[in-house]
Amino acid sequence: RFNEMTPENRQQIRAYLSDLYEVMLQDISNGRGISVDSLRQLANSATGYHAEQALASGMVDELVHRPGVLDDLRERLGLEEGEDIRKISLTDYANAKNESKDYSISNKIAVIYAEGAIVDGKANPGTIGDKDYVTYLKEAREDDGVKAIVLRVNSPGGSAMASENIWKQVELAKEAGKPVVVSMGDYAASGGYYISAAADSIFAEPNTLTGSIGVFSIIPNASELLEEKAGIHFDTVKTGDLSADFTPFYALSPQATRILQQRTEEMYEIFLKRVSDGRGMSRDSVHEIAQGRVWTGKAAIDVGLVDRLGGLDQALASAAALADLDEYRITEWPKVKDPIQMLLEQFMENENARVNAVLQREMKEWYPMYKHYKQIRDSKGAQARLPFVVPFN
């Protein structure tokens, strides 16, 4: 198992959750017209679990069954009583085609979607493989029609080396004279922030989880489990002091521990420098707000990690302004395949995809924890990633 949280870790996560809670309360207050203090009292008394109390408090507007909701929709839409309401599923809505592009416009803004854990090598659906994303950024940089790049980041981080490779391509794009703007989604933490740090401008949502500037390394030690539970014993003949180190079958020697610690600290210093250079801050100023601490997007503005609050549309407008574009069209990476083609490729060529689909169906809300554990277990090299999962209830 992984090491338990230290009191400092718990304090950092508690501070992040407190910031996030305040953002949520303020948003609900604005939407429902209930003061933040009142909302806090309602939450502490579990008022939302009681329908009548929720109505009396103003948390909901009316208590009705489904037919009553449909009647209200008809009235709002100007339909007759009993008339069918045209509906669309979330899947069909997501797959709806955007307005056709005006290809007479030569200037383009590249939108590159970086979604999932950052991994070494090629990307699978839901991951950011440095081999692929280096290619995407290189293609955007070398396309004369692309005048600016928007990097949409929704990632808890991952491989520190892969993050470094992607960061380098962002730097090269800027050196080529192409502005780079980052738009943060739910997460842009650790490695997700690493690949964002060099951008000309960074946008985040108020409740984006970002920061977590830190690095860790893990070498599993299964020797006790194998010996005491499975009766499997290992012996070795070594040709050097470190020949049997860095494996799951033996505990790390003091020398190997020092080497791993030194390498991890070196990677952390590189991370600090990337942020320092990108954000125009001193190394010590970055270190003060780093050390693995997470921030909401709103709080990240105050410490200099984020420039402005806003979504993808605001990031596009900023990129257009930086590139001095009056009109442009969008080109996107990675190129989205037909959903049927993706499904066939995953399930016909990848046994793991079928296994994961079954696990996701059976484990339900526990699946993200399993997936997170598996990613850390299978990771190689130093990691710049969130070492925890925060479920929202």
Side-chain angles (χ1 to χ4, degrees):
R1 63 183 174 83
F2 302 120
N3 292 334
E4 294 181 357
M5 277 194 224
T6 65
E8 184 178 3
N9 293 147
R10 292 182 181 276
Q11 184 177 0
Q12 290 177 351
I13 295 174
R14 188 178 293 111
Y16 158 71
L17 292 176
S18 177
D19 289 344
L20 179 60
Y21 185 46
E22 291 301 320
V23 171
M24 294 171 62
L25 287 177
Q26 189 59 60
D27 286 345
I28 296 171
S29 175
N30 294 338
R32 298 304 304 173
I34 305 173
S35 71
V36 169
D37 289 339
S38 296
L39 285 171
R40 191 176 286 108
Q41 292 175 6
L42 293 173
N44 291 338
S45 60
T47 299
Y49 282 94
H50 307 280
E52 295 290 347
Q53 293 180 16
L55 177 64
S57 66
M59 295 177 68
V60 300
D61 297 306
E62 192 175 351
L63 301 181
V64 294
H65 290 91
R66 179 180 173 83
V69 174
L70 296 177
D71 288 340
D72 183 67
L73 282 174
R74 290 189 184 93
E75 183 178 344
R76 292 170 182 262
L77 294 171
L79 302 178
E80 299 293 332
E81 183 178 352
E83 188 175 348
D84 285 341
I85 300 173
R86 294 182 61 188
K87 299 182 287 290
I88 183 172
S89 69
L90 284 174
T91 301
D92 289 340
Y93 180 80
N95 292 333
K97 294 182 178 179
N98 295 324
E99 295 181 5
S100 59
K101 296 179 180 179
D102 184 354
Y103 288 97
S104 66
I105 301 175
S106 59
N107 293 329
K108 298 180 288 186
I109 294 179
V111 180
I112 300 176
Y113 297 95
E115 176 88 21
I118 300 172
V119 299
D120 299 293
K122 288 189 66 61
N124 292 314
T127 64
I128 305 167
D130 64 337
K131 183 176 181 179
D132 293 301
Y133 280 80
V134 163
T135 300
Y136 301 153
L137 285 159
K138 183 174 181 290
E139 289 176 352
R141 183 180 82 242
E142 295 178 347
D143 186 336
D144 292 336
V146 171
K147 306 302 182 183
I149 298 171
V150 172
L151 184 61
R152 174 68 173 181
V153 180
N154 191 24
S155 171
S159 165
M161 194 66 250
S163 300
E164 168 74 7
N165 292 337
I166 296 171
W167 167 88
K168 180 61 178 178
Q169 292 301 315
V170 173
E171 277 286 293
L172 290 175
K174 290 173 57 182
E175 290 175 9
K178 299 193 176 183
V180 180
V181 177
V182 163
S183 169
M184 294 180 169
D186 294 338
Y187 295 90
S190 212
Y193 192 81
Y194 199 128
I195 66 176
S196 305
D200 293 290
S201 187
I202 298 177
F203 286 78
E205 300 290 353
N207 58 348
T208 294
L209 191 157
T210 190
S212 188
I213 299 168
V215 180
F216 67 89
S217 301
I218 289 179
I219 300 292
N221 178 12
S223 58
E224 184 177 338
L225 169 68
L226 293 171
E227 290 181 8
E228 294 187 4
K229 303 299 182 182
I232 300 174
H233 304 273
F234 292 87
D235 204 346
T236 183
V237 176
K238 300 192 298 183
T239 57
D241 292 342
L242 298 172
S243 298
D245 276 301
F246 309 110
T247 78
F249 307 119
Y250 302 97
L252 284 176
S253 67
Q255 182 184 5
T257 300
R258 286 194 300 272
I259 292 172
L260 194 62
Q261 182 66 38
Q262 181 181 16
R263 175 58 184 152
T264 303
E265 291 175 359
E266 289 172 353
M267 193 68 237
Y268 177 61
E269 288 298 325
I270 294 173
F271 196 167
L272 292 180
K273 179 169 175 53
R274 300 301 181 235
V275 179
S276 173
D277 292 345
R279 301 304 297 170
M281 303 167 64
S282 69
R283 179 267 180 200
D284 291 344
S285 296
V286 177
H287 176 61
E288 186 177 347
I289 59 175
Q291 305 175 62
R293 180 170 179 180
V294 291
W295 304 85
T296 61
K298 185 177 180 181
I301 290 179
D302 296 333
V303 296
L305 295 178
V306 168
D307 294 302
R308 280 169 282 181
L309 296 179
L312 184 57
D313 289 342
Q314 287 76 20
L316 281 166
S318 175
L322 289 171
D324 197 22
L325 299 178
D326 293 326
E327 59 178 11
Y328 60 88
R329 58 186 170 93
I330 294 172
T331 181
E332 298 173 315
W333 278 275
K335 304 302 181 184
V336 179
K337 297 179 181 179
D338 179 85
I340 298 300
Q341 180 185 355
M342 287 184 62
L343 185 67
L344 290 175
E345 287 181 359
Q346 290 180 43
F347 279 77
M348 298 301 291
E349 300 177 9
N350 190 344
E351 177 69 23
N352 288 334
R354 297 192 291 274
V355 173
N356 287 335
V358 173
L359 286 172
Q360 190 168 2
R361 184 181 68 243
E362 295 298 322
M363 297 181 73
K364 296 183 174 61
E365 67 270 19
W366 294 101
Y367 180 75
M369 285 73 167
Y370 162 77
K371 183 179 178 182
H372 178 75
Y373 159 75
K374 189 174 184 300
Q375 287 175 347
I376 292 182
R377 187 198 66 185
D378 296 342
S379 61
K380 299 176 182 178
Q383 296 293 299
R385 72 159 71 220
L386 283 174
F388 55 83
V389 175
V390 180
F392 295 95
N393 298 313

